[in-house]
Amino acid sequence: MTATSPRIVQALKAAVAVAIAWTIAPLLPGVADDYPYYAPLGALVSMYPTLMSSVRNALQTLGGLTVGILLAGLVIILSEPNVFTISLAVGVGAVIAATGWFGANREYIPVTALFVLIVGGPNADGYSIGYLVQMTLGILVGLAVNLVFFPPLALEAVGHQLTRFRCTLADHLSEVAEALADSWPPEQDGWASRSQDLVAVGRAVRAAVSHADDSRKGNPRARTNQRNLRSDYDDLAALENVTFHVRDLTEVLAGAVWGLPIQLELRPEMRPALSRTLQTLAALLKDWDPDDGEQTAFAEADAALKDLMAELDERRGSAPATSLGVASTVAMDVTRILAALRPRILPETEEADAASAAAAH
């Protein structure tokens, strides 16, 4: 972990916010001056990885504190603090917290009710005001520090994560292609059990894109560090679509090799064409470059698919339909993968086709 890593920067900002909050907390007038230790706590709870998440969490925290104070106030107004009423207030607060309306710091609701009734005691009103005011001060200090000092912007990681996703899919397809070209049944079997890993990578990438989107909201640095996240979301959606079909063809080929999870048949003469098609598809994912006008990798993958389809057509007259089912399924999956990638890799061609179709109508 380097000295400029986001976690180190965030830790330093938290330390600065706590120091500032602790310094100015005693300067507040009235009863708030009696509870300065809550200001640093407020600064801590407001320090989140992005400005928007910090603001959201700050509002939820203040809302939770207010609800907790109101619960304690109802006990004081309608009854008096005792074992039963304190337990009831904490229980109701826990139920409200369980709704999830108040985010990660929702547990402040029952804790605040408990503190006001037990710690505040006879001075519950003064304690409640001091607690809320000092927490608000700390939260405001934390938000200010988060805004002024290197507000986090996670746009750069998006490109790396999308590249990682593409390379993971490409490596998987290459391994499947090599298994098809290997002795039968293939010695390599890791690819057959990697479906969930592909899904996990996709989820991690979606989380990274969502985090980057959140990090630019209200962030002044976003004006000078612009990135088309809409395009990134479209690329991610295409890759998630690709993942679905890659998992499908993997399951079908695994069934042809080991009979699990379903018993299927793959004719030996079809394996070379399937291997070539998957290799060109892997190369397409690795060489993905929307700025490349020629897009030779896409053309090669499309040509390999056409060759596979032509071979399937030739063999349909002399082979039982069931014996070509695996190859046909893989060919259909590849067709759908190329259909998902075409708008992202060949956007100009897609727009031209749409314009031609509209003109024809």
Side-chain angles (χ1 to χ4, degrees):
M1 185 180 297
T2 63
T4 58
S5 69
R7 290 184 181 180
I8 294 296
V9 172
Q10 193 71 8
L12 292 174
K13 288 164 65 174
V16 170
V18 165
I20 295 174
W22 179 248
T23 301
I24 63 178
L27 304 178
L28 291 182
V31 294
D33 183 35
D34 295 331
Y35 308 98
Y37 37 83
Y38 286 120
L41 178 60
L44 275 178
V45 300
S46 68
M47 300 302 292
Y48 268 64
T50 67
L51 287 173
M52 189 54 60
S53 60
S54 294
V55 172
R56 187 185 308 117
N57 182 73
L59 293 175
Q60 290 171 336
T61 300
L62 291 176
L65 293 176
T66 303
V67 171
I69 290 172
L70 290 175
L71 288 174
L74 288 175
V75 170
I76 295 172
I77 294 172
L78 301 177
S79 180
E80 62 180 18
N82 55 49
V83 173
F84 174 74
T85 56
I86 292 174
S87 299
L88 179 62
V90 170
V92 173
V95 170
I96 296 174
T99 62
W101 297 337
F102 295 91
N105 290 324
R106 56 187 177 272
E107 298 305 325
Y108 273 106
I109 298 174
V111 169
T112 299
L114 184 65
F115 278 14
V116 171
L117 293 173
I118 293 180
V119 180
N123 188 34
D125 53 347
Y127 177 84
S128 300
I129 295 172
Y131 187 9
L132 187 59
V133 169
Q134 291 287 11
M135 284 288 288
T136 302
L137 170 66
I139 286 172
L140 291 175
V141 169
L143 292 176
V145 170
N146 219 2
L147 175 64
V148 174
F149 298 101
F150 304 104
L153 192 62
L155 299 180
E156 185 177 346
V158 174
H160 298 304
Q161 290 287 352
L162 287 170
T163 299
R164 173 185 166 226
F165 196 5
R166 289 191 282 103
C167 288
T168 299
L169 288 168
D171 291 341
H172 178 79
L173 287 170
S174 292
E175 191 172 349
V176 176
E178 290 170 4
L180 285 167
D182 200 356
S183 58
W184 201 259
E187 296 180 2
Q188 302 179 51
D189 59 359
W191 54 271
S193 58
R194 202 172 290 132
S195 288
Q196 291 304 317
D197 293 341
L198 298 177
V199 174
V201 172
R203 287 175 180 163
V205 176
R206 177 162 285 278
V209 177
S210 178
H211 177 66
D213 195 8
D214 199 45
S215 74
R216 69 188 177 98
K217 294 175 181 177
N219 195 329
R221 293 178 61 199
R223 298 175 184 176
T224 56
N225 295 270
Q226 295 185 355
R227 183 181 178 91
N228 187 356
L229 285 177
R230 172 52 54 193
S231 178
D232 290 328
Y233 272 118
D234 291 341
D235 287 348
L236 175 60
L239 291 175
E240 288 174 334
N241 197 351
V242 169
T243 301
F244 175 83
H245 296 298
V246 168
R247 293 179 67 203
D248 182 65
L249 68 86
T250 299
E251 183 177 287
V252 168
L253 290 172
V257 179
W258 297 287
L260 295 172
I262 47 177
Q263 185 94 30
L264 296 168
E265 178 186 357
L266 174 61
R267 294 182 65 86
E269 58 269 25
M270 292 302 305
R271 287 195 283 116
L274 288 172
S275 178
R276 286 193 301 272
T277 303
L278 295 184
Q279 282 288 16
T280 59
L281 191 56
L284 168 61
L285 287 168
K286 279 196 172 180
D287 297 340
W288 182 332
D289 183 6
D291 296 327
D292 182 1
E294 296 184 1
Q295 297 298 337
T296 55
F298 191 95
E300 290 173 0
D302 194 35
L305 175 61
K306 289 177 180 177
D307 291 341
L308 173 61
M309 299 293 280
E311 186 169 345
L312 279 170
D313 290 339
E314 290 177 4
R315 297 186 184 280
R316 281 197 176 96
S318 58
T322 54
S323 66
L324 297 175
V326 170
S328 298
T329 300
V330 173
M332 184 56 63
D333 280 322
V334 174
T335 301
R336 289 174 174 174
I337 288 172
L338 291 180
L341 294 177
R342 184 184 296 273
R344 306 308 308 148
I345 297 178
L346 301 173
E348 294 181 359
T349 303
E350 190 72 13
E351 291 175 3
D353 292 344
S356 299
H361 289 290

